[in-house]
Structure formats: C-alpha cells, structure tokens
C-alpha cells in the first residue's frame, strides 16, 4: 500500500486538474465563431416567425410568438457566483420570473445557484456545456454538449430541461444555412429552441438607460429579452433590472417563464434513479476538483514563495559564511593539535573498508582508528586485521545496529575528540585536521564536515552530486549562520566526548541517529558548526532501488527526530531557541515543502498540454534558472566543476518525483504507525579521495 498510494495520489491530482480544465473549457477549447452565411435552406416561416422554434418535427418545423404584454427575460452564460445571486434578488424583489440558459460547466461548478433558480420558480435551459459554436461541431459533439449539460442539471437540481439556446445566437431572421441544421438536429433530440426578439446588448456595457431602452419591446408586444448573468461585469445589468422591471410592470407587462407565456407544460422534467445519482456524482466530483485545485494553487503559491525565500536565504547566508571562514587570519580559536579518535562502524563493508582505513592512515593529524564490526558476515573485521596497522583497533560485537556500534566505539576511544565516519567513506589527508579545528571554540560541541559524492560519473550519481553540493552543503552554511544545524552527516562528523556524554550518546530511538544527536546537542546548549574544508568522499547509491531505500530511511528518521524533539518548541533557553527556529525550518524545508514540490511539475505538465503553454514554460524556466544560479554558486563555493549541472533540468523533473514518493511513503509509514528497519546498501568500493596516496603514518 505504501508503494501504491504515492503514484495513486499523483494520478488523482492530475485527474482533478483534468476535471478542472474540462469545466473551465481549457481542454481542447474551441472559440471559433462562424461568419454569416446564406439563408436559402431556411424556411421563410422560420425567418419571419417568432423567437421560439419547435423543430421536433423535421418536416413541419414551426415558430412561436410571445403573446402581447408578456416578457420572457432570459439570461445567458451563467450561473456566476457574483452576479447571478444579485439578478435573482432583483427578480424576487419585483416578483418576476425568468429563464436562465446555463452552461453545463458553470452549472456543475455552482449547483446551489441552479437549485435556487428552480426553487424560486424560474426556468432553466441548456446553453451547451462549454459554449462552442455548434455549427462547427459534429453531431456526436452536439450530443455530448447537450448530455453533459443535462448531467449537470440533474446533479444540481434534479431536473432535465427541454429548452435550448445555441451559443452566439440572435434573432430568428439571423438563422442561416450553417445554423439551421443544428436547430433541426437539436429539435430531433426533443428540444425547443428559444432565440430572442429584443437584445439588451448589456454585454457591451452601454449604460443603464441604454440597456432598458434596448430591452423594451415596441407597442406592447411580447418578447424574449436577451441579457447575461455571467461573462464579465454585470453591474449595469443588475442596476438596469431594478429600473426595467417596475417600469414595464407599470405598463401592464408580466414577466413569466417561457412555457407559462406560451401556455405549454413546464420545460422541467424530474430526474430519478441512476440518472439522478450520476448527476450528483458528477457535480460532487467537479466540486471536489474545484476546491482541491484551488487549495493546490494556494499551495503552489506558497511553495513558490518558500523556494524564493529559501534560495534567497541560502545565497545571502552562504556568502556571509564563506566570507567569514575564508577571511585572512580567521581562526575558530587556538589551533587543535591533540590526538583524535576516529570511530568507523562497519557492517558487511568488505568492498570499502580497506580504502576507508587506508585513507585514514594518510591523515596529517594524529589519530587512533577504531573499527567497530557490527556482526558482519563477510569478513570485514578480518580484512582490517590483515592490514596489520598497529594503530588500528577492531572491536567486534554482535549485530546491534549503527547507534550501538558508535556507542561501543566511543566507549573504546582514548581521546576527548571523536570523529565519526561511515565504513563506505574515505577521507582526504587534511579532513580530520580541518574537522576538529572548530573545537578551538569551547562552545562548539559538534562539527559537520563536507560530504561529497565520489561515484558521480553515472547519471544518478551526478544527480546526487548536485543534491549534496547544493541541497546539503549550501544548506549547512545557512543553518550554521542561523545557529540551527539540523544534521551532522554520518559520513563525516566530529564531537566532543563531554557533549556526547551529557546527551546520553547515540540514541536508537530513531533511524536518523545523526539528526537525533545533532538536535539533542542544540537543546543542551552546544554550538554545531560546519567545516567546509573537511571533505569526505562517500559512495552514493548507484541504483534507484538503493537510493529509494536510503532516502526512505533518512526521511522517516528525520520525521522521528522532529517528533522526538517537538517539546523544544515550548521550552526555554537553548532548547527553546532551537525549537522555535531550527525545528520549524527543518519541518518546513525538509518535510513539508518537498511533499508539495511535485505540484510544480504537475502544473507544468498541465500547462504545457492545455495552455497557456508559453507562460507555463516561462514560469517553470524562471524557477529552473533560479535553481541553476543557486547550484552554480554552490558549486563555485565548493570549487566544483560546473559540467555536472548539465543534468540539472532532468534532475528537477525526475529526481524530484522520486524524492516526493519517498517522502510520501515516510508520511504514510509514520501516520499508520509502521516500523522501518535498517536497510544495508550494496557497495562496490570504487571511491577514493582525489589525490590521496594511502600510506602508513605513526599516530599517538
């Protein structure tokens, strides 16, 4: 289920966007309007007849006039959430009825307004679903426009309507040879076509007086009056109604429904059974899609703001950090020259452990090396013994997990400064020396080193290389300046032994013991800083499955650590400072924001397919350009070649989806109370520190 839900969620998200695009006429929109054509095929009795056309009998189509002193107000293109209620209020105020020719798209989006129209005694007619010019459409498309609108009416008000008005229609004498076949075909489907006989031209916003003048028929004749309740600002229409209705009523006019004016049965037929439930289901889906996508748009805006804020903070604070630690004469305090204990927890690391130990042997700082074999079954400890290095100790234990191995190594350490590294990592000769220099400041309890990807030649390795340089090390500079470093990487970190003792050592409470211990040190009042020159080269996962396993553990462990230290938010002192600064930043940028990041790509895909394509591509390109600038700056700070950034666009599209699925899986695991076990990654031992020459050096 944890594998299935993330892709299902993405599919559901895209489906909601498709529904939204469907009802907003964004999916294959058709805005063509056919120019006028000849009228040779239109019967004269239709051209010279009334505004109501009954073409249900193809051989004897008829037209109907509205009786004198009867006015049928009609409103096209709605319902509209702003203007339709105001128009309904005016009609109710003056005890008038009208016919609303609604589009199926708007009816499905605002079903409450359709229900109100019916409940207050108005008639509702079909104005197609997406408002295309039907003279361009096939019969199957016409059927689709009619049936989808009826589906919306059934879901909104439980009715079916027999009234129809074609989009872009006018008076009866404007029917031409292109539109007449449409009216005939729609008539064969059981509809009465209602055109208009007076056009208020309210869509042109000519002013209230002009609207009233245009809508008023001459000589007391009956008429079908065309107005609009959607499609723009209808303030003039609302104001005109407040004058038009009482003036015409005073002249003896009655404002009635179309069927009442013609003395015909109601155009509404109740819908029951399966058709009713299908309509309700459709309206419900549209409503959920509308609300969900509105929320997602807000989330996307929030993500956009967060991306810009985060990148801005990283660029500014990283520059300040680099300037501070690189200025001439900068020192953390007195130079640290005392020996250091290096603890290497190892479980089935036969491919890597020799390179790891040899790289430590080349260190230019006095060290002791403690390899803790955590119940390996592949002879890892024997490989270390075979190196015959007198300053290397191998501690064997039953398999108990990495935290237990680290604590065992700390217990065997002889010195007060302890460096921790992974068994698949190699150090440069200067790494240990650079890593421990910040301990010249007695306030520093731990130091994060600069972990780098050694196997970056593959595409997935290059993507992780970008992530490490930009997403991790640039972040660490920012967090260092803010005083809330969230994680000391397991590949390269150093600790005061006193600080470890005060917080109880490495905890087994979470799967991210490095994040857990870092947060504990902050809460205990210690400074945690970043040493950019303490470089360690680690072997990153080389397959999607391995990367998935690693990041799944990282994400879930980070959530566990945040939850474990949640009380820091309300505490005082150093713990409270970290809780109110560090925890929110970690939660926001490492847990919540990445979960919403795929929205960028989902909206990108939708925008590219359904438009506006150019603006969508430009917006996504702007975000990518910003990321490229930050990545280039991060690479410059780390003195890395920019060639790997060629794969950045592909990384942003594919890698982000993988990280999203991993994070969503972690959320599901956390919410369902699942337990995640340690997962051993397959290593090849190909990573060596650039320029290092393994050699034996005496140590203290």
């Amino acid at each position: 289920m944890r594998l299935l839900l993330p892709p299902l969620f993405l599919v559901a998200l895209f489906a909601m966007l498709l529904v939204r695009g469907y009802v907003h006429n964004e999916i294959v929109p058709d805005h063509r309007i056919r120019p006028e054509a000849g009228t040779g095929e239109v019967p004269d009795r239709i051209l010279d007849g009334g505004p109501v056309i009954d073409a249900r009998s193809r051989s004897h189509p008829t037209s109907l006039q509205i009786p004198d002193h009867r006015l049928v107000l009609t409103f096209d293109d709605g319902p509209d959430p702003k203007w339709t209620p105001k128009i309904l209020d005016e009609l109710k105020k003056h005890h008038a009825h009208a016919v609303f020719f609604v589009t199926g798209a708007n009816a499905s989006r605002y079903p409450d307004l359709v229900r109100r129209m019916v409940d207050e005694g108005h008639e509702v007619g079909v104005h197609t679903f997406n408002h295309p010019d039907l003279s361009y459409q096939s019969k199957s498309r016409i059927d689709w426009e009619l049936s989808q609108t009826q589906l919306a009416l059934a879901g909104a008000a439980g009715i079916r309507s027999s009234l129809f008005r074609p989009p872009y229609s006018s008076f009866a004498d404007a029917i031409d040879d292109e539109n007449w076949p449409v009216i005939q075909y729609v008539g064969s489907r059981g509809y009465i076509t209602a055109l208009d006989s007076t056009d208020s031209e309210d869509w042109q916003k000519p002013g209230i007086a002009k609207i009233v003048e245009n809508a008023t028929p001459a000589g007391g004749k009956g008429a079908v009056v065309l107005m609009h309740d959607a499609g723009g600002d209808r303030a003039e229409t609302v104001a005109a109604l407040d004058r038009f209705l009482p003036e015409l009523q005073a002249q003896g006019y009655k404002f009635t429904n179309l069927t009442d004016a013609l003395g015909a049965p109601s155009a509404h037929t109740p819908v029951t059974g399966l058709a009713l439930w299908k309509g309700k289901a459709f309206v419900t889906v549209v409503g959920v899609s509308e609300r969900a996508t509105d929320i997602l748009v807000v989330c996307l805006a929030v993500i956009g703001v967060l991306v810009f804020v985060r990148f801005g903070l990283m660029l500014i604070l990283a520059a300040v950090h680099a300037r501070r630690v690189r200025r001439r004469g900068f020192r953390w305090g007195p130079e640290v020259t005392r020996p250091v204990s290096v603890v290497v927890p190892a479980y089935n690391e036969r491919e890597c452990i020799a390179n790891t130990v040899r790289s430590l042997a080349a260190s230019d700082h006095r060290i002791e090396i403690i390899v803790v074999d955590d119940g390996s079954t592949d002879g890892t400890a024997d490989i270390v013994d075979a190196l015959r290095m007198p300053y290397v100790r191998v501690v064997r234990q039953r398999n108990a997990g990495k935290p237990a191995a680290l604590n065992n190594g700390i217990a065997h350490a002889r010195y007060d400064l302890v460096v921790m590294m992974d068994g698949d990592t190699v150090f440069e000769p200067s790494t240990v020396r650079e890593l421990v220099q910040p301990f010249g400041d007695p306030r520093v309890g731990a130091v994060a080193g600069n972990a780098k990807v050694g196997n970056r030649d593959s595409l997935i390795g290059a993507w992780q290389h970008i992530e490490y340089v930009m997403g991790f090390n640039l972040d660490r500079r920012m967090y260092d300046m803010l005083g809330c470093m969230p994680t000391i990487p397991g590949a390269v970190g150093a600790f005061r032994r006193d600080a470890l003792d005060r917080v109880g050592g490495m905890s087994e409470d979470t799967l991210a013991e490095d994040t857990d211990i870092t947060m504990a040190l902050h809460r205990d009042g210690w400074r945690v800083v970043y040493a950019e020159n303490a470089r360690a080269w680690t072997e990153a996962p080389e397959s999607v499955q391995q990367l998935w396993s690693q990041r799944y553990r990282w994400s879930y462990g980070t959530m566990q650590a945040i939850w474990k230290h949640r009380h820091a938010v309300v505490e005082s002192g150093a713990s409270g400072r970290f809780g109110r600064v560090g925890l929110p930043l970690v939660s926001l940028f490492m847990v919540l924001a990445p979960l919403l990041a795929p929205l960028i790509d989902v909206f990108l895909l939708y925008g590219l397919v359904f438009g506006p394509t150019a603006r969508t591509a430009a917006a996504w390109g702007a975000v990518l350009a910003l990321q490229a600038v930050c990545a280039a700056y991060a690479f410059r700070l780390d003195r890395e070649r920019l060639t790997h950034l060629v794969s950045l666009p592909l990384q942003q599209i594919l890698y982000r989806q993988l990280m999203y699925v991993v994070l969503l899986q972690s959320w599901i695991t956390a919410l369902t109370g699942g337990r995640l076990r340690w997962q051993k990654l397959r290593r090849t031992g190909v990573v060596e520190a650039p320029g290092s020459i393994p050699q034996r050096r005496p140590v203290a």
Side-chain angles (χ1 to χ4, degrees), residues 288-303:
V288 170
S289 173
E290 286 285 302
R291 287 186 287 271
T293 49
D294 285 343
I295 293 172
L296 292 176
V297 168
V298 172
C299 291
L300 184 63
V302 171
I303 288 296

Side-chain angles (χ1 to χ4, degrees), residues 422-618:
D422 290 335
D424 58 3
T425 302
V426 295
F427 279 7
E428 296 179 3
S430 62
T431 298
V432 174
R433 172 172 51 80
E434 293 287 351
L435 193 59
V436 299
Q437 292 312 307
F439 291 117
D441 182 346
R443 298 171 298 170
V444 173
V447 182
N450 187 346
K452 306 182 79 63
V453 175
N455 53 330
R456 60 182 70 172
D457 294 334
S458 65
L459 183 61
I460 196 169
W463 288 351
Q464 291 175 85
H465 175 46
I466 295 172
E467 181 185 29
Y468 271 61
V469 175
M470 178 184 174
F472 295 162
N473 293 334
L474 201 61
D475 267 353
R476 288 192 179 102
R477 297 176 191 274
M478 175 182 72
Y479 286 124
D480 189 347
M481 296 303 300
L482 295 175
C484 57
M485 183 86 64
T487 303
I488 297 172
V492 54
F495 302 84
R496 286 188 193 274
R497 190 165 182 169
D498 289 345
L500 291 173
D501 291 341
R502 279 173 48 172
V503 299
M506 309 301 289
S507 172
E508 298 181 2
D509 294 341
T510 75
L511 291 178
E513 79 289 333
D514 45 7
T515 300
D516 188 358
I517 190 66
T518 308
M519 292 182 176
L521 291 171
H522 278 297
R523 296 182 67 186
D524 195 46
W526 293 98
R527 284 188 64 197
V528 180
V529 299
Y530 173 59
E532 64 173 356
N533 293 324
R535 289 180 289 271
W537 299 83
T538 187
E539 183 175 341
E542 293 192 327
S543 70
V544 172
Q545 183 178 2
Q546 291 179 353
L547 179 62
W548 184 302
S549 297
Q550 182 192 69
R551 300 312 167 86
Y552 189 17
R553 178 176 61 81
W554 285 5
S555 298
Y556 187 56
T558 299
M559 291 181 184
Q560 289 178 310
I562 292 172
W563 182 253
K564 177 180 177 179
H565 295 282
R566 65 190 184 279
H567 296 299
V569 175
V570 296
E571 292 175 346
S572 59
S575 182
R577 286 193 297 274
F578 174 75
R580 288 183 286 276
V581 178
L583 281 183
L585 285 176
V586 174
S587 301
L588 190 60
F589 291 136
M590 297 179 67
V591 177
L592 294 177
L595 193 63
L596 298 175
L599 289 178
I600 298 173
D601 302 309
V602 172
F603 278 93
L604 167 67
L605 178 61
Y606 182 86
L608 291 177
V609 175
F610 302 116
T613 303
R615 282 189 294 172
T616 300

Side-chain angles (χ1 to χ4, degrees), residues 205-436:
K205 301 178 187 176
I208 297 171
K210 189 63 175 176
I211 290 176
V212 172
E213 178 186 343
N214 292 339
T216 303
K221 291 183 178 180
V224 177
V225 182
L226 173 61
M227 290 185 171
H228 298 81
D229 64 329
D233 186 347
R234 298 296 172 230
E236 288 187 1
T237 302
V238 175
L241 283 175
D242 197 34
R243 180 188 302 181
F244 180 66
L245 292 171
E247 285 185 4
L248 273 291
Q249 285 172 337
Q251 297 176 26
Y253 280 93
K254 290 185 178 179
F255 293 89
T256 67
N257 292 332
L258 181 61
T259 55
D260 289 340
L262 297 175
S266 173
H268 295 168
T269 304
V271 177
T272 59
L274 181 61
L276 176 62
W277 286 107
K278 287 172 63 178
K280 288 184 178 295
F282 175 68
V283 169
T284 299
V285 168
V286 171
V288 170
S289 173
E290 286 285 302
R291 287 186 287 271
T293 49
D294 285 343
I295 293 172
L296 292 176
V297 168
V298 172
C299 291
L300 184 63
V302 171
I303 288 296
V305 172
L306 289 178
V307 166
F308 280 91
V309 169
R310 183 189 180 199
F311 285 162
L313 277 175
M314 283 196 303
L315 289 175
I316 295 172
L317 296 181
V320 173
H321 181 274
R323 186 176 298 110
R324 178 170 67 90
V325 300
R326 293 179 181 181
R327 71 173 183 267
R328 182 174 299 179
F330 170 80
R331 299 172 67 90
W332 293 96
E335 183 179 2
V336 177
T337 58
R338 59 188 184 274
V340 174
S341 298
V342 180
V343 176
V344 186
Y347 173 69
N348 288 346
E349 299 284 3
R350 64 174 300 156
E351 292 84 2
C352 309
I353 195 65
N355 283 347
T356 299
V357 174
R358 289 193 183 103
S359 73
L360 290 173
S363 176
D364 59 13
H365 194 93
R366 292 184 297 163
I367 61 173
E368 67 163 348
I369 304 170
I370 304 169
V371 178
V372 182
D373 184 86
D374 186 34
S376 297
T377 59
D378 66 347
T380 295
D382 296 334
I383 293 174
V384 178
D385 284 337
L387 295 175
R388 299 185 181 280
M389 295 181 178
Y391 45 84
V392 177
R393 284 187 287 159
V394 177
V395 178
R396 290 175 168 85
Q397 67 175 37
R398 291 184 178 181
N399 182 255
K402 186 176 179 181
L406 289 171
N407 285 330
N408 198 0
I410 295 168
H412 284 82
R414 290 185 292 177
Y415 304 117
D416 65 332
L417 297 181
V418 179
V419 169
M420 298 181 188
M421 67 182 299
D422 290 335
D424 58 3
T425 302
V426 295
F427 279 7
E428 296 179 3
S430 62
T431 298
V432 174
R433 172 172 51 80
E434 293 287 351
L435 193 59
V436 299

